[in-house]
Amino acid sequence: MDTGNWSQVTEFIILGFPHLQGVQIYLFLLLLLVYLTTMLGNLLIFLVVCLDSRLHTPMYHFVSILSFSELGYTAATIPKMLGNLLSEKKTISFSGCLLQIYFFHSLGATECYLLTAMAYDRYLAICRPLHYPTLMSPTLCAEIAIGCWLGGLAGPVVEISLISRLPFCGPNRIQHIFCDFPPLLSLACTDTSINVLVDFVINSCKILATFLLILCSYVRIICTVLRVPSAAGKRKAFSTCASHLTVVLIFYGSILFMYVRLRKSYSLDYERALAVVYSVLTPFLNPFIYSLRNKEIKEAMRRQLKRIGILA
């Protein structure tokens, strides 16, 4: 294919929600409120777990790391989305687009691995309670956390490397609310079947494998809990998993439909709505799910607020 007459695109226009042009300022205020709440909530959980010695357990160790990763996960996309809602020039450079994709996907992958580690932690705590302190030692917790971060940061490298070599000669309008692999690949001026295949394989291994591991953990947990003779014991066992399972269902319920597919099969508005769920809604809900449904975190927050004099 002759590329001699092509002019390389150096920046892209992110269209966002083109059908909602008349309410941009209201969307900006709503998204800003959601973003500030997300950042404050996740930062609060991270600090409370770090400061309260009673929460220095493997489960809350992973919760705090998940909250910390959410800070970067939302910062990768939402600030640019906010800027685009107020600006008529909704542009992003090619390198900026690739960086946004990298951080969004690397931190998203880190979240997948952390959710899997949390499911394994709950499996050991409920199914092997006598061996739990030995099996889930502080050293193993640290190694798992480091592995989650390294695996996440390395995850999108191959996809980013492949897409950075593609020619983009126009159009340059990204039909999405932020830069992402599928809408960017649709703008390339050459065959992208290899990129789509690599993207599908990596996402399938990353998303499906972690989801199946989580599912297996919960199947074992449910089988164990059903053998508990007392109703109170069953409620206590399930209550320790409720927050985590809620987050898993919301997060995986959207990314499975978005990324584990070989070809485009949804409308643009449907894809934008899915993107809002996993990029905005899930990080926003996580602090509420882990704090409102968790008595220990709520009590730890009260202790810390009393310690600094906010509560009497």
Side-chain angles (χ1 to χ4, degrees), residues 165-275:
R165 302 175 187 178
L166 293 176
F168 292 90
C169 54
N172 67 338
R173 299 162 71 86
I174 295 177
Q175 300 279 352
H176 204 46
I177 60 175
F178 52 81
C179 285
D180 204 358
F181 286 122
L184 190 58
L185 285 174
S186 68
L187 299 179
C189 299
T190 187
D191 178 45
T192 59
S193 56
I194 295 298
N195 299 75
V196 172
L197 180 60
V198 170
D199 192 36
F200 172 76
V201 171
I202 291 176
N203 285 330
S204 296
C205 293
K206 177 174 59 183
I207 298 172
L208 284 178
T210 54
F211 183 69
L212 289 174
L213 287 172
I214 293 171
L215 190 62
C216 289
S217 296
Y218 273 103
V219 168
R220 297 291 299 274
I221 288 171
I222 291 171
C223 291
T224 300
V225 171
L226 290 177
R227 293 197 294 268
V228 175
S230 67
K234 290 179 181 178
R235 282 196 301 271
K236 182 179 179 181
F238 279 127
S239 67
T240 64
C241 303
S243 299
H244 175 258
L245 190 56
T246 303
V247 172
V248 167
L249 292 176
I250 296 173
F251 184 64
Y252 278 91
S254 55
I255 63 173
L256 279 169
F257 285 104
M258 186 67 184
Y259 293 110
V260 186
R261 54 178 175 157
L262 273 171
R263 58 175 62 88
K264 175 181 169 59
S265 55
Y266 312 126
S267 69
L268 293 175
D269 288 337
Y270 187 75
E271 290 190 352
R272 291 184 181 110
L274 280 177

Side-chain angles (χ1 to χ4, degrees), residues 31 99 114 164 176:
L31 185 58
L99 281 174
L114 284 170
S164 65
H176 204 46

